[in-house]
Amino acid sequence: MREMDKEVLIHVRGLQTIDADGDQEPVEIVVPGQYYFRNGSHYLRYEEILEDFAEPTINYIKISPKGMEVRKKGVVNVHMVFEQGKKNMTYYTTPYGTIEMGIAATNMNLEENDGSLDMKVDYALDMNQEHVADCYLAIKAQPKDCKDFHDLTESSKSPASIAKSNKQ
């Protein structure tokens, strides 16, 4: 992946399973972005336009063997840190108010190839000190001109569910 182009396509796929009724909220985007590798970490940057707002939110993602950080700056502001077995607290600021969030990564998997980067994270999400959802986040980056931009849906199972299905 260190040889990957600076201009990339970034595929972000997330899933939240809300406790009370088991409803799932999928989120999925494919956007152009930038990639670079520095000091042993992969960095991604892309813009996202949120519904009802003209101003873009800039997303910065840092991926390393130790974990992942996601920063959003703009309409929404947050700095989320995902580290295996550790709960990290942050504040999620929106035009409607600020929420205290806790993020506890329960499973992480990073795959680095010459032409792509693939990060998958399972995590528990707390809001205002209460567990609200078990979540899954997958981020894949490939060169913009990649002929077969591969979809995360083919590997859309979370690391935990893959491990469970392999044991059976």
Side-chain angles (χ1 to χ4, degrees), residues 8 10 48 59 62 97 103 131-132 134 140:
V8 294
I10 301 168
E48 183 179 17
N59 292 268
K62 176 184 176 184
I103 297 165
H131 179 78
V132 292
D134 289 315
K140 184 173 199 75

Side-chain angles (χ1 to χ4, degrees), residues 6-56:
K6 186 180 182 220
E7 297 298 315
V8 294
L9 279 177
I10 301 168
H11 187 164
V12 179
R13 185 170 190 276
L15 187 65
Q16 294 183 349
T17 303
I18 310 299
D19 282 350
D21 45 18
D23 282 351
Q24 294 188 333
E25 283 186 35
V27 175
E28 188 163 357
I29 60 168
V30 177
V31 292
Q34 293 80 44
Y35 165 84
Y36 61 96
F37 184 82
R38 187 175 296 149
N39 298 326
S41 294
H42 303 275
Y43 293 86
L44 299 169
R45 179 196 178 279
Y46 65 93
E47 292 185 7
E48 183 179 17
I49 301 290
L50 301 175
E51 212 173 298
D52 300 330
F53 295 97
E55 178 193 340

Side-chain angles (χ1 to χ4, degrees), residues 55-99:
E55 178 193 340
T57 293
I58 312 235
N59 292 268
Y60 301 93
I61 301 171
K62 176 184 176 184
I63 299 172
S64 72
K66 289 190 277 184
M68 179 171 71
E69 292 181 46
V70 176
R71 287 179 196 260
K72 292 178 177 276
K73 293 184 178 183
V75 173
V76 167
N77 291 282
V78 69
H79 179 197
M80 298 179 283
V81 179
F82 301 85
E83 293 175 289
Q84 182 79 42
K86 185 176 177 190
K87 184 175 180 178
N88 289 292
M89 302 304 292
T90 190
Y91 289 95
Y92 192 85
T93 305
T94 74
Y96 309 108
T98 299
I99 301 166

